[in-house]
Amino acid sequence: MSASETPARRTYDFVGRARTFGLLSAILCIACMVLLVVPGPKYGIDFMGGTNVIARFDATADIATVRESVASLGFEDASVQAFGEGDGLSYLIQTQSVSVLDDARRSELQATIESTVAGTEVEFDETAGDRVYLRVPESAFLSMSEGSSSEGSGAADDAVLERAATLATQLTTAIVTAGFEGSVVEPYGASRDRRFVVQLQALQSYFEEHFRADMGEAFLSIDRVETVGPRVGQQLRDDGVKAVLISLILILVYIAIRFDIRYAPGAVLALAHDVLLTLGIFVVLREEVSLTIVAALLTIVGYSLNDTIINFDRIRENLRETSGRESLNSIVNRSINECLSRTFLTAFTTLLAIVVIYFVGGGLIRTFALAMGIGVIVGTYSSIYISNMMMIMTTHFIESRKPVSLEKHSPSAEV
Amino acid sequence: MKMPQSWWTRVGAFAAATLVALLLLVPTAFDSQYGSLPEEQQPGWFRAVNGLVGGARITWGLDLVGGLHLQYQVDVDKAISDRLDRYAAQIRDGIIESHPDAAGVQVDRIEGEHALLITTASVDPTTLVDNDRLFDMRLIQAGGSATTLRLDLDAEFVEQTRQYAIAQAIETIRKRIDASGVVEPSITRRGESDIIVQLPGLQESQFEQIKAVIGQTAQLHFQMVSLQNAAFISSMNLPAADGIVLDGPVPTSADPVLLQSLLDGVETPPGTELRVSQRETYDRARQQVVADTYVPMLLETGSELTGEYITGAIVTADPNTGRPVVSMSFDEEGTRMFARLTAENVNRQMAIVLDGVSRSAPNINEPIPNGRAQISMGGGGSIDQTMAEAEALSIVLRNGALPAPIEKQFETQVGPSLGADSVRAGGMSLAISFVLVALFMAYWYKVAGLFSVLALAMNVTFIAAGLALLNATLTLPGIAGITLTIGMAVDANVVIYERIKEELRLGVSVSKALSAAYDKATTAVLDSNITTAIAGLVLMEVGSGPIRGFAVTLLLGIATSLITAIFVTRLGFDFLTIGRRADRLSI
């Protein structure tokens, strides 16, 4: 027998302090809701669309030099931060652009195209930012294939094809000369449609060439490039919200079936509280909310519920054993105390693993560990204060509408 | 010591399960050493184990080995609006041709809808439009006013186009990556119209090449087979190489890329080029195509008739013979070109060349002026064989050009050095967490703690074996999931142990305390794990790539930790208590 008995023997009055902590949590939740609107979470590129580049440099390149170099690329919103360990120095460069085209360069490209073939319709593709669709005017075609009749002679077809090829070459040369290195213009569709597509240089090689020219030997490699189109970003964000909501609903149903409807609102309120607070703290810390964080949130939901259920199970058992000889408040408080050492021990071992992931696991999953850490602490708190108090409140609410008292009609009887 | 039969049975079962789990992990552990060797050079035991576990192994995720992950969206709307633009031009041309006096006719696509609007100055537009042609275009007259007419594209046709465009895009992308001969790609469809292409282990230098290969439009050409074909092929001297069969007049190979590279070195007569031509070997007994072989074919260059002029291709039955034929139709421009090509080349073979490979070379029996061509299939095989050939050909004809543009939605490139860093960091955090949690449990719960350390070790083994059995992909978040599971899995032990202590405090005997604790705590442990599993399942449904990997390990961890934490520790306690008078428990 060891020292571990001590915390279980002392009895703390949790239920008595419920009002204070309930109020505190309510205030915190409202504050977090406000924070989620203003200033709102900082979304990762998987939710906003954008590009992440991890580039490696040798020791001669400090963060200021890299920032300067990135700034000269012309992405206005680009941010640079030191990243991870490894042999050289790695930097994470983030921008919401998904292509080499920003607004200024976009109008530059449009001007170039229009001055090469007057009257061309230019259609920018907002999702696949690395291509631009063109439709040249009929005049640009007819001027070359004059005299072709509608007889369908082979000469006329050849002339149209030849004209398309000539135009494509002209446009490519003009666009490359205007500073869009690596771009290619190709005709597509039926040639009578006079359509072309401009394929711009990919971001990867754009960054690579820039760093090689600008930083020379100090630039080692591009380690990771991730681009997300804005449309898919929106979709992923919706999916994330949907995932959290679906989990909450399914869990509500499971608890209602497995335990009793009195327990369900408490469990779900506690979970919503955990998700809200974790997100709120992320806003305060200006940490990025990404798909990884959604994964963390769902894991937190699972973990926190774990705590809640262990408590509920004990409450149910104690209600059954005492069957009316003890007040509900007292039973709940006793149950929390009986589970207390388990609650803290599990939180401790889980946090142990999380802390290790945070410090050893590398830069890519650090924010995941941070969210999990916050979530485990908040979840432990909520499973003691929020879920149990809500269970008491729900029971009283149901009692007040029913003549039969809970003590004589224990919820466990229905399980 | 004398333990009861049932205890030994349970111990035996767990020992056997652990052995099986370890066996499942053998191929994964030695894969880097022997996996890439040809089968004959692998050690005998490695092959034996591989056969035993049925190829079960853990795949390393893209974020661990480096590679390319691409997500494309097939832009069907773009394809449909392009097609409508083309229809609009054709209808306008048709009206001007047949009613030269009808002034001010305009045909426009209605933005955001699958419909066209015909506007005239004064004439009733219905009198101008040739209904037979509209049907061909799958357009339906849908009202209007005295001087306007609205034409809707058949909704069923739009849906068909959508489904077909996505299936064909996947097929085309797969063929192209295969042809480029790099690592095995994984190509999957996701959601309504997304395609995910994953190339783990792809070299950084090949990233751009692969993206270019996927992005280009497939090329379908109609080229005449040279009159000198047979003579040239039998007289040319192809260098001997592995994978090329040179006996007989025509060299054959199962590898089109290899064959083409050798053919590129052969000098050809002016105006011709050598291409590989596909031959399917049909297994009559199994009623399916069993192998593709490729042979060289001398083709005339300078063809301008390409797949983009084809409007459709279907398999029909020849009314006279009942044998399957492929009917295809061209648009107006294609009709003209096809008429000319066939008129000039009666009684010659025309090769249908997709992405540089000749898929079929039917004979031109007569000039075809109306843009409706029927390709009759060779007469040698059975009806089934001919049917299979016809289906294959119609697919090639339809998918000549990528049916809809694809847009890149999402891209991740991971260099191998970052992958190696992640493996190191992930492995390290897993090991450190295990040691820390194990030390804590042993300190806090003494001998009982050691039981749970044993359970934890088995748990990690079972998770890994489960991943191998599912052929799951291990990602960095997946490793984090296992690490997290280590922290959370001991929860079941903590719940039970705390319960045992409580019961002991009430003064009951050790064996009573044990059975009471296990009885009472098990339902709580089950309930709490099931709800975590609900969250995991939702995550697996919604998450993509690495996140899915996390969900898989989380779910596996829940399943295995339930078994190990409850049953393995119970074995330990039974060992301590059964058959002896235990009045104290080291817990």
Side-chain angles (χ1 to χ4, degrees):
Chain A
M1 309 258 172
S2 71
S4 57
E5 290 170 22
T6 336
R9 278 199 180 150
R10 203 179 297 153
T11 303
Y12 300 91
D13 183 13
F14 292 108
V15 175
R17 276 175 229 133
R19 213 170 282 273
T20 324
F21 282 104
L23 199 64
L24 178 75
S25 280
I27 293 169
L28 283 176
C29 282
I30 292 168
C32 287
M33 279 187 221
V34 173
L35 280 172
L36 283 174
V37 180
V38 188
K42 182 175 145 198
Y43 288 115
I45 64 152
D46 37 5
F47 287 161
M48 285 302 282
T51 303
N52 269 352
V53 175
I54 296 174
R56 203 179 285 246
F57 299 89
D58 72 7
T60 61
D62 60 5
I63 192 159
T65 335
V66 177
R67 282 216 170 101
E68 228 168 85
S69 178
V70 170
S72 68
L73 271 168
F75 296 112
E76 278 165 24
D77 65 334
S79 71
V80 178
Q81 62 191 90
F83 180 85
E85 306 81 35
D87 310 331
L89 298 164
S90 288
Y91 294 98
L92 174 66
I93 303 151
Q94 285 185 301
T95 163
Q96 279 191 20
S97 308
V98 288
S99 78
V100 295
L101 283 183
D102 54 11
D103 285 344
R105 289 180 54 107
R106 196 174 268 213
S107 34
E108 196 183 322
L109 180 67
Q110 185 153 11
T112 309
I113 291 165
E114 278 164 0
S115 69
T116 314
V117 183
T120 302
E121 294 165 38
V122 181
E123 186 187 328
F124 290 97
D125 192 318
E126 298 302 330
T127 42
D130 59 350
R131 69 180 73 176
V132 181
Y133 296 105
L134 307 179
R135 188 186 169 108
V136 303
E138 220 155 341
S139 57
F141 252 83
L142 289 180
S143 62
M144 266 293 282
S145 50
E146 265 165 17
S148 72
S149 62
S150 54
E151 302 280 303
S153 74
D157 291 332
D158 288 346
V160 166
L161 287 172
E162 207 173 290
R163 178 62 184 157
T166 318
L167 274 176
T169 320
Q170 266 179 22
L171 284 165
T172 306
T173 317
I175 290 171
V176 170
T177 318
F180 298 90
E181 287 98 359
S183 306
V184 182
V185 183
E186 281 173 335
Y188 84 97
S191 50
R192 63 183 305 143
D193 289 346
R194 311 182 308 276
R195 285 181 178 277
F196 294 83
V197 59
V198 185
Q199 189 68 52
L200 296 158
Q201 189 185 30
L203 269 177
Q204 149 104 2
S205 41
Y206 185 61
F207 273 99
E208 206 162 345
E209 275 168 29
H210 173 80
F211 284 136
R212 192 149 287 141
D214 199 40
M215 313 276 290
E217 294 284 294
F219 168 69
L220 298 178
S221 62
I222 300 274
D223 273 355
R224 183 184 170 107
V225 181
E226 192 173 16
T227 50
V228 182
R231 187 157 70 193
V232 81
Q234 178 67 47
Q235 187 192 326
L236 288 173
R237 198 164 53 195
D238 293 348
D239 283 355
V241 173
K242 210 161 67 187
V244 174
L245 290 181
I246 291 174
S247 308
L248 290 184
I249 292 167
L250 287 177
I251 286 163
L252 182 96
V253 171
Y254 183 80
I255 306 258
I257 293 171
R258 198 75 184 84
F259 285 78
D260 187 292
I261 191 64
R262 281 155 238 248
Y263 294 87
V268 171
L269 189 74
L271 299 184
H273 167 270
D274 301 340
V275 170
L276 210 54
L277 250 57
T278 309
L279 279 175
I281 293 173
F282 256 58
V283 176
V284 172
L285 296 176
R286 297 313 294 152
E287 286 287 346
E288 244 171 43
V289 176
S290 62
L291 261 189
T292 320
I293 301 308
V294 172
L297 287 178
L298 286 178
T299 318
I300 292 165
V301 163
Y303 176 87
S304 162
L305 196 67
N306 206 329
D307 271 5
T308 300
I309 285 182
I310 301 285
N311 275 316
F312 278 179
D313 188 70
R314 187 57 72 100
I315 294 173
R316 179 169 62 173
E317 186 188 321
N318 286 339
L319 273 172
R320 202 180 299 155
E321 280 172 4
T322 53
S323 59
R325 276 172 278 116
E326 197 179 347
S327 78
L328 180 63
N329 282 12
S330 156
I331 290 175
V332 170
N333 202 56
R334 185 157 62 84
S335 304
I336 298 172
N337 275 286
E338 283 169 359
C339 291
L340 200 59
S341 57
R342 175 264 151 200
T343 304
F344 281 117
L345 287 173
T346 301
F348 177 75
T349 55
T350 308
L351 280 174
L352 213 55
I354 291 168
V355 168
V356 173
I357 297 176
Y358 184 88
F359 285 107
V360 187
L364 288 169
I365 49 172
R366 188 157 292 162
T367 51
F368 170 81
L370 183 65
M372 277 304 302
I374 296 169
V376 166
I377 294 168
V378 175
T380 304
Y381 160 82
S382 74
S383 69
I384 293 174
Y385 282 102
I386 309 298
S387 53
N388 297 322
M389 303 314 145
M390 191 64 196
M391 184 261 161
I392 295 177
M393 281 166 68
T394 316
T395 309
H396 287 325
F397 176 72
I398 293 173
E399 286 308 299
S400 70
R401 304 181 53 165
K402 259 201 298 191
V404 190
S405 82
L406 170 82
E407 280 78 18
K408 282 179 194 147
H409 186 86
S410 137
S412 58
E414 294 169 23
V415 177
Chain B
M1 93 199 74
K2 189 144 169 48
M3 298 304 295
Q5 182 81 38
S6 69
W7 188 85
W8 283 111
T9 314
R10 282 181 291 155
V11 168
F14 271 101
T18 311
L19 272 179
V20 170
L22 288 173
L23 200 65
L24 280 168
L25 290 172
V26 167
T28 308
F30 293 93
D31 221 18
S32 58
Q33 209 172 335
Y34 301 123
S36 55
L37 297 177
E39 211 163 295
E40 308 83 60
Q41 287 171 40
Q42 291 171 352
W45 61 265
F46 184 76
R47 264 184 294 160
V49 173
N50 242 339
L52 210 58
V53 301
R57 70 196 56 209
I58 300 174
T59 315
W60 297 93
L62 210 138
D63 53 350
L64 298 181
V65 289
L68 187 60
H69 171 113
L70 297 161
Q71 184 174 334
Y72 291 94
Q73 185 171 50
V74 182
D75 193 353
V76 184
D77 289 333
K78 176 94 188 146
I80 291 172
S81 62
D82 280 358
R83 183 183 283 248
L84 278 171
D85 279 344
R86 195 185 300 183
Y87 284 177
Q90 287 181 12
I91 291 173
R92 199 193 52 205
D93 290 356
I95 293 175
I96 291 171
E97 213 174 294
S98 56
H99 300 83
D101 50 329
V105 175
Q106 275 194 331
V107 186
D108 299 301
R109 174 163 59 85
I110 303 174
E111 201 62 46
E113 291 182 69
H114 300 140
L116 295 178
L117 192 68
I118 304 179
T119 325
T120 62
S122 55
V123 200
D124 179 4
T126 45
T127 62
L128 300 176
V129 176
D130 183 352
N131 270 312
D132 292 343
R133 266 170 143 174
L134 291 185
F135 182 69
D136 204 30
M137 289 166 187
R138 307 262 190 172
L139 283 162
I140 299 162
Q141 293 198 8
S145 66
T147 56
T148 62
L149 176 66
R150 185 189 152 109
L151 301 171
D152 278 355
L153 198 59
D154 184 5
E156 199 183 315
F157 173 70
V158 172
E159 186 49 32
Q160 274 172 13
T161 309
R162 186 180 304 279
Q163 295 307 327
Y164 155 74
I166 294 157
Q168 290 307 332
I170 291 178
E171 191 51 33
T172 311
I173 290 174
R174 185 185 307 282
K175 273 188 188 148
R176 289 189 192 164
I177 297 178
D178 283 349
S180 70
V182 294
V183 291
E184 189 85 348
S186 133
I187 303 169
T188 47
R189 178 175 175 173
R190 184 177 156 77
E192 183 64 2
S193 55
D194 286 351
I195 299 175
I196 293 175
V197 182
Q198 294 195 79
L199 296 150
L202 184 70
Q203 293 302 304
E204 261 172 307
S205 55
Q206 293 172 319
F207 287 174
E208 288 306 310
Q209 181 206 338
I210 285 293
K211 282 195 284 176
V213 161
I214 294 173
Q216 79 189 186
T217 349
Q219 288 298 320
L220 178 68
H221 287 284
F222 293 89
Q223 283 175 277
M224 300 314 300
V225 177
S226 168
L227 293 170
Q228 310 161 46
N229 180 41
F232 184 82
I233 302 285
S234 58
S235 68
M236 73 176 183
N237 284 316
L238 215 55
D242 271 350
I244 306 277
V245 184
L246 283 174
D247 55 339
V250 179
T252 60
S253 172
D255 183 349
V257 182
L258 173 70
L259 184 58
Q260 184 68 56
S261 70
L262 292 174
L263 293 177
D264 287 344
V266 177
E267 191 146 338
T268 59
T272 62
E273 62 181 353
L274 274 169
R275 290 282 171 200
V276 295
S277 170
Q278 184 179 27
R279 270 189 193 172
E280 282 166 349
T281 309
Y282 186 81
D283 185 329
R284 258 173 226 219
R286 303 212 323 249
Q287 299 201 347
Q288 62 186 33
V289 175
V290 285
D292 285 340
T293 55
Y294 295 86
V295 297
M297 190 177 260
L298 191 67
L299 303 177
E300 288 180 0
T301 56
S303 134
E304 64 254 29
L305 185 56
T306 63
E308 74 189 45
Y309 300 101
I310 293 178
T311 53
I314 49 164
V315 179
T316 55
D318 185 311
N320 300 321
T321 64
R323 295 185 70 84
V325 291
V326 177
S327 302
M328 59 177 171
S329 52
F330 290 95
D331 66 5
E332 248 173 273
E333 202 170 341
T335 303
R336 277 205 307 271
M337 295 165 82
F338 194 65
R340 185 155 52 87
L341 193 68
T342 51
E344 287 166 3
N345 294 294
V346 173
N347 278 330
R348 285 185 61 185
Q349 266 184 298
M350 182 184 66
I352 299 164
V353 184
L354 180 73
D355 277 344
V357 178
S358 164
R359 302 285 169 173
S360 172
N363 203 55
I364 299 173
N365 295 326
E366 56 190 4
I368 302 164
N370 60 0
R372 300 203 161 266
Q374 281 199 344
I375 303 173
S376 40
M377 309 308 297
S382 68
I383 284 281
D384 289 335
Q385 178 179 2
T386 320
M387 195 67 194
E389 279 174 9
E391 286 290 352
L393 179 61
S394 71
I395 289 170
V396 169
L397 289 173
R398 284 190 310 233
N399 82 11
L402 214 53
I406 49 173
E407 271 175 12
K408 194 168 67 200
Q409 295 289 313
F410 190 92
E411 172 181 348
T412 309
Q413 305 177 358
V414 181
S417 59
L418 185 69
D421 283 355
S422 295
V423 173
R424 211 176 306 125
M428 191 74 100
S429 52
L430 187 68
I432 296 177
S433 296
F434 185 89
V435 170
L436 288 182
V437 172
L439 283 176
F440 173 76
M441 291 301 281
Y443 164 76
W444 199 263
Y445 290 116
K446 308 288 178 310
V447 175
L450 290 177
F451 295 156
S452 55
V453 172
L454 178 70
L456 200 55
M458 284 172 71
N459 190 14
V460 175
T461 315
F462 286 158
I463 294 176
L467 287 175
L469 204 59
L470 294 172
N471 280 328
T473 305
L474 186 65
T475 58
L476 183 59
I479 298 179
I482 301 177
T483 312
L484 202 59
T485 303
I486 290 176
M488 299 199 296
V490 292
D491 175 59
N493 290 142
V494 173
V495 172
I496 296 167
Y497 291 177
E498 289 302 307
R499 196 67 197 231
I500 295 173
K501 284 188 185 180
E502 249 179 71
E503 298 290 331
L504 286 175
R505 246 179 259 130
L506 292 174
V508 300
S509 75
V510 166
S511 62
K512 274 232 178 73
L514 280 176
S515 51
Y518 273 93
D519 280 353
K520 287 177 183 168
T522 307
T523 52
V525 169
L526 262 175
D527 276 334
S528 61
N529 277 288
I530 287 171
T531 44
T532 310
I534 291 176
L537 283 171
V538 172
L539 196 55
M540 203 156 106
E541 263 316 295
V542 177
S544 65
I547 305 291
R548 234 182 139 79
F550 171 78
V552 170
T553 53
L554 194 70
L555 285 170
L556 269 175
I558 289 168
T560 57
S561 67
L562 269 179
I563 298 167
T564 55
I566 295 177
F567 296 108
V568 174
T569 55
R570 187 66 201 258
L571 282 179
F573 284 124
D574 284 352
F575 175 73
L576 290 182
T577 54
I578 292 179
R580 64 187 88 193
R581 284 180 37 78
D583 46 10
R584 279 177 61 90
L585 208 55
S586 175
I587 187 168

